[in-house]
Amino acid sequence: MTRSWRAVTISFMHANGPVHEPRASRPTIAGLPWTLAIVFFALVPLVVGFNQGWLQAGLGRYFPRTVSILLWSGNWLLFWWVSEAMTRVAGRVLRPWHLRPFMLVLLGAVLATVF
């Protein structure tokens, strides 16, 4: 029988019988395990930016392809991070209203375009 790393527990004997403690918690970034945080905060916006840069969308058509990729990747990274920050701010400020998460994300994206 195989178990995932999440199900592994550390057991030792205690005077009252065996004691099971959960495995030490893994380091997190913004509440995500660091591998998922890297994917969410870096890989996703870079893939979207690469796609738009490769297709030379918008202003990218006036630049060489490599410059267009750099332009769009940087643009998406900046927008993604500012959108995350604005979503967190909106969530804290509007917590008493109990808005749905979709509305908070949408509001965060709108605030990110304003700032």
Side-chain angles (χ1 to χ4, degrees):
M1 182 169 140
T2 60
R3 293 184 179 181
S4 68
W5 62 269
R6 292 184 184 122
V8 174
T9 58
I10 301 169
S11 300
F12 60 92
M13 289 301 291
H14 193 267
N16 297 329
V19 176
H20 301 285
E21 292 183 358
R23 191 172 197 163
S25 64
R26 307 235 185 241
T28 62
I29 299 171
L32 294 171
W34 66 273
T35 52
L36 289 178
I38 289 171
V39 168
F40 182 75
F41 289 112
L43 191 62
V44 171
L46 286 175
V47 166
V48 174
F50 180 83
N51 184 33
Q52 285 188 324
W54 185 263
L55 297 174
Q56 295 180 317
L59 283 174
R61 67 180 166 187
Y62 300 115
F63 300 111
R65 190 164 296 216
T66 54
V67 175
S68 177
I69 290 171
L70 289 173
L71 171 80
W72 280 108
S73 296
N75 188 16
W76 268 101
L77 277 172
L78 181 64
F79 175 73
W80 198 268
W81 296 340
V82 172
S83 179
E84 169 73 15
M86 290 295 113
T87 299
R88 288 181 184 270
V89 168
R92 297 248 164 112
V93 170
L94 300 175
R95 183 172 289 168
W97 289 5
H98 302 290
L99 293 176
R100 294 178 183 228
F102 176 75
M103 292 302 293
L104 287 175
V105 170
L106 185 63
L107 183 61
V110 169
L111 287 174
T113 58
V114 172
F115 295 110

